[in-house]
Amino acid sequence: IVVGGVAVIAAVLGIFVFIFFQVLPLFQGAKVQPLAEYDLTPSVEDVVDIDLDEWAELPVVIKKDGSLNYLDLEGDRGIIENKGVFKAGETTSTLTYNSLKRLLVAGSTSGKFAFAKLGYKAEFDSNSQRTIYPEVTSSEWFELSDHDESIQFVDYGEGDSNKMAAAICIDQEGKQHIRAITLEQKRSLFGGGGQITIGKRFDMTPEIDKVIQKVDVSSNGDLILVIGVTGEVSLFIYEAGDLTLRQRFWPFDNLDDT
């Protein structure tokens, strides 16, 4: 009886000690420390953007030359490099990445643009061990500017009914031109996507009298924001087959800059 009583008391004390050490960190300061460090690129000057898959196992570094560097954090594959994102034949002059839609858009020195959709897939082996693989699908190059111009900045958005690209183009004299095109894709009776072709062309340059630093196409491809270096924003809306200037405004112009 004595031994049993002592054993019960010891077990109860052991439980209290265990709970104490589990609760103790709650009364201490938070600590963050790195678990590992990886060198993905020799220079940050080569990097356009970075992204991470939903499993946090295969981050990707998007480089200025259009190549992708994936890092396998869970396996032993190391750095997985993908250099052939866009089809050959064009010299990339600018890249834009939309992390929300995982959409990479490229402009070329000859006035063309292309886009690539970045994705991931998970595969399981016979032991239910998961491995994440990158999936990249890219488009053809489309002639955004039908003049002798290079693309300085480009963006693209697509929805169920609209596909729109807009760009800042530079001619041989160094002058800016703001251009946009729509893309059309016919679908089969079975819902599959057909060939994508150029639809309409728009020149927004006559509506803009400021130097432009960026264009932003909405995710569903029906709005374009043209942003000037002074902060002025011009809103263009695509509806009924036409692209029109709807509004000009200065964000935060009602705030005291002091």
Side-chain angles (χ1 to χ4, degrees):
I1 295 176
V2 174
V3 174
V6 172
V8 171
I9 295 174
V12 172
L13 290 176
I15 293 174
F16 279 114
V17 171
F18 173 78
I19 294 176
F20 172 77
F21 282 105
Q22 295 298 312
V23 175
L24 182 62
L26 298 177
F27 299 96
Q28 298 176 346
K31 296 180 181 179
V32 178
Q33 59 184 11
L35 298 178
E37 294 184 1
Y38 303 93
D39 187 8
L40 296 177
T41 178
S43 173
V44 294
E45 300 296 329
D46 299 331
V47 177
V48 173
D49 211 328
I50 58 175
D51 201 0
L52 185 65
D53 61 287
E54 48 267 45
W55 300 276
E57 296 181 9
L58 198 65
V60 59
V61 175
I62 303 169
K63 304 179 72 174
K64 287 184 177 179
D65 60 1
S67 63
L68 307 175
N69 282 2
Y70 294 89
L71 177 62
D72 185 8
L73 298 179
E74 295 296 324
D76 56 0
R77 293 175 293 173
I79 295 179
I80 307 169
E81 189 170 6
N82 184 347
K83 291 186 176 182
V85 177
F86 297 104
K87 293 177 172 57
E90 294 292 326
T91 301
T92 301
S93 58
T94 181
L95 286 172
T96 306
Y97 184 64
N98 185 329
S99 59
L100 293 178
K101 301 194 73 171
R102 286 182 176 156
L103 187 65
L104 180 62
V105 188
S108 77
T109 55
S110 64
K112 295 182 180 181
F113 98 99
F115 60 90
K117 298 179 180 180
L118 280 58
Y120 298 89
K121 65 177 181 179
E123 294 186 359
F124 296 86
D125 59 19
S126 57
N127 297 320
S128 298
Q129 181 67 37
R130 182 180 63 204
T131 303
I132 307 301
Y133 294 93
E135 285 188 323
V136 180
T137 57
S138 59
S139 72
E140 302 287 341
W141 288 95
F142 300 99
E143 187 181 59
L144 200 156
S145 172
D146 54 359
H147 298 69
D148 188 13
E149 298 169 346
S150 174
I151 294 182
Q152 183 184 47
F153 189 93
V154 64
D155 196 19
Y156 172 74
E158 62 175 29
D160 295 333
S161 57
N162 296 317
K163 299 178 186 293
M164 176 81 72
I168 303 173
C169 302
I170 306 296
D171 63 20
Q172 297 299 313
E173 297 180 356
K175 296 180 180 180
Q176 283 189 342
H177 300 269
I178 314 303
R179 306 189 185 278
I181 62 171
T182 63
L183 300 181
E184 299 177 350
Q185 183 178 23
K186 294 183 178 180
R187 297 189 177 276
S188 67
L189 296 176
F190 302 99
Q195 182 180 6
I196 300 177
T197 58
I198 296 176
K200 296 185 177 182
R201 296 183 178 275
F202 302 98
D203 183 5
M204 295 173 282
T205 310
E207 304 283 355
I208 305 297
D209 58 358
K210 302 289 192 302
V211 177
I212 303 304
Q213 61 175 327
K214 183 180 180 181
V215 292
D216 190 355
V217 182
S218 63
S219 296
N220 56 4
D222 61 354
L223 301 175
I224 299 177
L225 294 178
V226 180
I227 306 171
V229 294
T230 61
E232 181 185 41
V233 178
S234 301
L235 171 63
F236 289 82
I237 296 182
Y238 179 70
E239 57 184 357
D242 196 15
L243 185 66
T244 57
L245 176 63
R246 180 62 57 88
Q247 182 183 9
R248 280 197 177 97
F249 59 95
W250 283 262
F252 317 114
D253 63 343
N254 61 332
L255 300 180
D256 188 356
D257 57 5
T258 59

CSV table of all heavy atoms in Angstrom, one decimal, residues 8-41:
chain,number,residue,atom,x,y,z
A,8,VAL,N,1.6,6.8,-6.8
A,8,VAL,CA,0.6,7.7,-7.2
A,8,VAL,C,1.0,9.2,-7.0
A,8,VAL,O,0.9,10.0,-7.9
A,8,VAL,CB,-0.7,7.4,-6.5
A,8,VAL,CG1,-1.7,8.5,-6.8
A,8,VAL,CG2,-1.3,6.1,-6.8
A,9,ILE,N,1.6,9.4,-5.8
A,9,ILE,CA,2.1,10.8,-5.6
A,9,ILE,C,3.1,11.2,-6.6
A,9,ILE,O,3.2,12.3,-7.1
A,9,ILE,CB,2.6,10.9,-4.1
A,9,ILE,CG1,1.4,10.7,-3.1
A,9,ILE,CG2,3.2,12.3,-3.9
A,9,ILE,CD1,1.9,10.6,-1.7
A,10,ALA,N,4.1,10.3,-6.9
A,10,ALA,CA,5.1,10.6,-7.8
A,10,ALA,C,4.6,10.8,-9.2
A,10,ALA,O,5.0,11.7,-9.9
A,10,ALA,CB,6.1,9.4,-7.8
A,11,ALA,N,3.6,10.1,-9.6
A,11,ALA,CA,3.0,10.3,-10.9
A,11,ALA,C,2.3,11.6,-11.0
A,11,ALA,O,2.4,12.3,-12.0
A,11,ALA,CB,2.0,9.1,-11.2
A,12,VAL,N,1.6,12.0,-9.9
A,12,VAL,CA,0.9,13.3,-9.9
A,12,VAL,C,1.9,14.4,-10.0
A,12,VAL,O,1.7,15.4,-10.7
A,12,VAL,CB,0.0,13.4,-8.7
A,12,VAL,CG1,-0.6,14.8,-8.6
A,12,VAL,CG2,-1.1,12.4,-8.7
A,13,LEU,N,3.0,14.3,-9.2
A,13,LEU,CA,4.0,15.3,-9.2
A,13,LEU,C,4.7,15.4,-10.6
A,13,LEU,O,5.0,16.5,-11.1
A,13,LEU,CB,5.1,15.0,-8.2
A,13,LEU,CG,4.7,15.2,-6.7
A,13,LEU,CD1,5.8,14.8,-5.8
A,13,LEU,CD2,4.3,16.7,-6.4
A,14,GLY,N,4.8,14.2,-11.2
A,14,GLY,CA,5.4,14.2,-12.6
A,14,GLY,C,4.5,14.9,-13.6
A,14,GLY,O,5.0,15.6,-14.4
A,15,ILE,N,3.2,14.7,-13.4
A,15,ILE,CA,2.3,15.4,-14.3
A,15,ILE,C,2.4,17.0,-14.1
A,15,ILE,O,2.4,17.7,-15.1
A,15,ILE,CB,0.8,15.0,-14.1
A,15,ILE,CG1,0.7,13.5,-14.5
A,15,ILE,CG2,-0.2,15.8,-14.8
A,15,ILE,CD1,-0.6,12.9,-14.1
A,16,PHE,N,2.5,17.4,-12.8
A,16,PHE,CA,2.6,18.8,-12.6
A,16,PHE,C,3.9,19.4,-13.1
A,16,PHE,O,3.9,20.5,-13.7
A,16,PHE,CB,2.5,19.1,-11.1
A,16,PHE,CG,1.1,19.1,-10.6
A,16,PHE,CD1,0.6,18.2,-9.7
A,16,PHE,CD2,0.2,20.1,-11.0
A,16,PHE,CE1,-0.7,18.2,-9.2
A,16,PHE,CE2,-1.1,20.2,-10.5
A,16,PHE,CZ,-1.5,19.2,-9.6
A,17,VAL,N,5.0,18.6,-13.0
A,17,VAL,CA,6.3,19.1,-13.5
A,17,VAL,C,6.2,19.2,-15.1
A,17,VAL,O,6.7,20.2,-15.7
A,17,VAL,CB,7.4,18.1,-13.1
A,17,VAL,CG1,8.7,18.4,-13.9
A,17,VAL,CG2,7.6,18.2,-11.6
A,18,PHE,N,5.6,18.2,-15.7
A,18,PHE,CA,5.4,18.2,-17.2
A,18,PHE,C,4.6,19.5,-17.6
A,18,PHE,O,5.0,20.2,-18.5
A,18,PHE,CB,4.7,17.0,-17.6
A,18,PHE,CG,4.4,17.0,-19.1
A,18,PHE,CD1,5.4,16.7,-20.1
A,18,PHE,CD2,3.1,17.2,-19.5
A,18,PHE,CE1,5.1,16.7,-21.4
A,18,PHE,CE2,2.8,17.2,-20.9
A,18,PHE,CZ,3.8,17.0,-21.8
A,19,ILE,N,3.5,19.7,-16.9
A,19,ILE,CA,2.6,20.8,-17.3
A,19,ILE,C,3.4,22.2,-17.1
A,19,ILE,O,3.3,23.1,-17.8
A,19,ILE,CB,1.3,20.8,-16.5
A,19,ILE,CG1,0.5,19.6,-16.9
A,19,ILE,CG2,0.5,22.1,-16.7
A,19,ILE,CD1,-0.8,19.4,-16.0
A,20,PHE,N,4.2,22.2,-16.0
A,20,PHE,CA,4.9,23.4,-15.7
A,20,PHE,C,5.9,23.8,-16.8
A,20,PHE,O,6.0,24.9,-17.2
A,20,PHE,CB,5.7,23.2,-14.4
A,20,PHE,CG,6.7,24.3,-14.1
A,20,PHE,CD1,6.2,25.6,-13.6
A,20,PHE,CD2,8.1,24.2,-14.3
A,20,PHE,CE1,7.1,26.6,-13.3
A,20,PHE,CE2,8.9,25.2,-14.0
A,20,PHE,CZ,8.5,26.4,-13.5
A,21,PHE,N,6.6,22.8,-17.3
A,21,PHE,CA,7.6,23.0,-18.4
A,21,PHE,C,6.9,23.3,-19.7
A,21,PHE,O,7.5,24.0,-20.6
A,21,PHE,CB,8.6,21.9,-18.5
A,21,PHE,CG,9.7,21.9,-17.4
A,21,PHE,CD1,9.6,21.0,-16.4
A,21,PHE,CD2,10.7,22.8,-17.5
A,21,PHE,CE1,10.6,21.0,-15.4
A,21,PHE,CE2,11.7,22.8,-16.5
A,21,PHE,CZ,11.6,21.9,-15.5
A,22,GLN,N,5.7,22.9,-19.9
A,22,GLN,CA,5.0,23.2,-21.1
A,22,GLN,C,4.4,24.6,-21.0
A,22,GLN,O,4.3,25.3,-22.1
A,22,GLN,CB,3.8,22.2,-21.3
A,22,GLN,CG,4.2,20.7,-21.5
A,22,GLN,CD,5.1,20.6,-22.8
A,22,GLN,OE1,4.7,21.1,-23.8
A,22,GLN,NE2,6.2,20.0,-22.7
A,23,VAL,N,4.0,25.1,-19.9
A,23,VAL,CA,3.5,26.4,-19.7
A,23,VAL,C,4.6,27.4,-19.6
A,23,VAL,O,4.4,28.6,-19.9
A,23,VAL,CB,2.5,26.4,-18.5
A,23,VAL,CG1,2.0,27.9,-18.3
A,23,VAL,CG2,1.4,25.5,-18.7
A,24,LEU,N,5.7,27.1,-19.1
A,24,LEU,CA,6.8,28.0,-18.8
A,24,LEU,C,7.2,28.9,-20.0
A,24,LEU,O,7.3,30.1,-19.9
A,24,LEU,CB,8.1,27.3,-18.3
A,24,LEU,CG,9.3,28.2,-18.0
A,24,LEU,CD1,8.9,29.1,-16.8
A,24,LEU,CD2,10.5,27.3,-17.6
A,25,PRO,N,7.2,28.4,-21.3
A,25,PRO,CA,7.6,29.3,-22.4
A,25,PRO,C,6.6,30.4,-22.6
A,25,PRO,O,6.9,31.4,-23.2
A,25,PRO,CB,7.6,28.3,-23.6
A,25,PRO,CG,7.9,27.0,-23.0
A,25,PRO,CD,7.2,27.0,-21.7
A,26,LEU,N,5.3,30.2,-22.1
A,26,LEU,CA,4.3,31.3,-22.3
A,26,LEU,C,4.7,32.6,-21.5
A,26,LEU,O,4.2,33.6,-21.9
A,26,LEU,CB,3.0,30.8,-21.9
A,26,LEU,CG,2.4,29.6,-22.7
A,26,LEU,CD1,1.0,29.2,-22.1
A,26,LEU,CD2,2.2,29.9,-24.1
A,27,PHE,N,5.5,32.4,-20.5
A,27,PHE,CA,5.9,33.6,-19.7
A,27,PHE,C,7.3,34.1,-20.1
A,27,PHE,O,7.8,35.0,-19.5
A,27,PHE,CB,5.9,33.2,-18.2
A,27,PHE,CG,4.6,32.7,-17.7
A,27,PHE,CD1,4.3,31.3,-17.7
A,27,PHE,CD2,3.6,33.6,-17.3
A,27,PHE,CE1,3.0,30.9,-17.2
A,27,PHE,CE2,2.4,33.2,-16.8
A,27,PHE,CZ,2.1,31.9,-16.8
A,28,GLN,N,7.8,33.6,-21.2
A,28,GLN,CA,9.1,34.0,-21.7
A,28,GLN,C,8.9,34.8,-23.0
A,28,GLN,O,7.9,34.8,-23.6
A,28,GLN,CB,10.1,32.8,-21.9
A,28,GLN,CG,10.4,32.0,-20.7
A,28,GLN,CD,11.2,30.8,-21.0
A,28,GLN,OE1,11.3,30.4,-22.1
A,28,GLN,NE2,11.8,30.2,-20.0
A,29,GLY,N,9.9,35.6,-23.3
A,29,GLY,CA,9.9,36.4,-24.5
A,29,GLY,C,9.9,35.5,-25.8
A,29,GLY,O,10.5,34.4,-25.7
A,30,ALA,N,9.3,36.0,-26.8
A,30,ALA,CA,9.3,35.2,-28.1
A,30,ALA,C,10.7,35.2,-28.7
A,30,ALA,O,11.4,36.2,-28.6
A,30,ALA,CB,8.3,35.8,-29.1
A,31,LYS,N,11.1,34.1,-29.3
A,31,LYS,CA,12.4,34.0,-30.0
A,31,LYS,C,12.2,33.5,-31.4
A,31,LYS,O,11.4,32.5,-31.6
A,31,LYS,CB,13.3,33.1,-29.2
A,31,LYS,CG,13.6,33.6,-27.8
A,31,LYS,CD,14.5,32.6,-27.1
A,31,LYS,CE,14.9,33.0,-25.7
A,31,LYS,NZ,15.8,32.1,-25.0
A,32,VAL,N,12.8,34.1,-32.3
A,32,VAL,CA,12.8,33.7,-33.7
A,32,VAL,C,14.3,33.5,-34.1
A,32,VAL,O,15.1,34.4,-34.0
A,32,VAL,CB,12.1,34.7,-34.6
A,32,VAL,CG1,12.2,34.2,-36.1
A,32,VAL,CG2,10.7,34.9,-34.2
A,33,GLN,N,14.6,32.3,-34.7
A,33,GLN,CA,15.9,32.0,-35.1
A,33,GLN,C,15.8,31.2,-36.4
A,33,GLN,O,14.9,30.4,-36.6
A,33,GLN,CB,16.7,31.2,-34.1
A,33,GLN,CG,16.1,29.9,-33.7
A,33,GLN,CD,16.9,29.2,-32.6
A,33,GLN,OE1,17.7,29.8,-32.0
A,33,GLN,NE2,16.6,27.9,-32.4
A,34,PRO,N,16.8,31.5,-37.3
A,34,PRO,CA,16.7,30.8,-38.6
A,34,PRO,C,17.1,29.3,-38.5
A,34,PRO,O,18.0,29.0,-37.7
A,34,PRO,CB,17.8,31.6,-39.4
A,34,PRO,CG,18.7,32.2,-38.4
A,34,PRO,CD,17.9,32.5,-37.2
A,35,LEU,N,16.4,28.5,-39.2
A,35,LEU,CA,16.7,27.1,-39.2
A,35,LEU,C,17.8,26.7,-40.3
A,35,LEU,O,18.5,25.8,-40.1
A,35,LEU,CB,15.4,26.3,-39.5
A,35,LEU,CG,14.3,26.4,-38.4
A,35,LEU,CD1,13.1,25.6,-38.8
A,35,LEU,CD2,14.8,26.0,-37.0
A,36,ALA,N,17.7,27.5,-41.4
A,36,ALA,CA,18.7,27.2,-42.4
A,36,ALA,C,18.8,28.4,-43.3
A,36,ALA,O,17.9,29.2,-43.4
A,36,ALA,CB,18.3,26.0,-43.2
A,37,GLU,N,19.9,28.5,-44.1
A,37,GLU,CA,20.1,29.6,-45.0
A,37,GLU,C,20.5,29.0,-46.4
A,37,GLU,O,21.2,28.1,-46.4
A,37,GLU,CB,21.1,30.6,-44.5
A,37,GLU,CG,20.8,31.4,-43.3
A,37,GLU,CD,21.8,32.4,-42.9
A,37,GLU,OE1,22.8,32.5,-43.6
A,37,GLU,OE2,21.6,33.1,-41.9
A,38,TYR,N,19.9,29.6,-47.4
A,38,TYR,CA,20.2,29.1,-48.8
A,38,TYR,C,20.6,30.3,-49.7
A,38,TYR,O,20.0,31.4,-49.6
A,38,TYR,CB,19.0,28.4,-49.4
A,38,TYR,CG,18.5,27.3,-48.5
A,38,TYR,CD1,17.5,27.5,-47.6
A,38,TYR,CD2,19.0,26.0,-48.7
A,38,TYR,CE1,17.0,26.4,-46.8
A,38,TYR,CE2,18.5,24.9,-47.9
A,38,TYR,CZ,17.5,25.2,-47.0
A,38,TYR,OH,17.1,24.1,-46.2
A,39,ASP,N,21.6,30.1,-50.5
A,39,ASP,CA,22.0,31.1,-51.5
A,39,ASP,C,21.4,30.8,-52.8
A,39,ASP,O,21.9,29.8,-53.5
A,39,ASP,CB,23.5,31.1,-51.6
A,39,ASP,CG,24.1,32.3,-52.4
A,39,ASP,OD1,23.2,33.1,-52.8
A,39,ASP,OD2,25.3,32.3,-52.7
A,40,LEU,N,20.3,31.5,-53.2
A,40,LEU,CA,19.6,31.2,-54.5
A,40,LEU,C,20.2,31.9,-55.7
A,40,LEU,O,20.0,31.4,-56.8
A,40,LEU,CB,18.1,31.5,-54.3
A,40,LEU,CG,17.4,30.7,-53.2
A,40,LEU,CD1,16.0,31.3,-53.1
A,40,LEU,CD2,17.4,29.3,-53.6
A,41,THR,N,20.8,33.0,-55.5
A,41,THR,CA,21.3,33.8,-56.6
A,41,THR,C,22.5,34.6,-56.2
A,41,THR,O,22.6,35.0,-55.0
A,41,THR,CB,20.3,34.7,-57.2
A,41,THR,OG1,20.8,35.5,-58.3
A,41,THR,CG2,19.7,35.7,-56.1
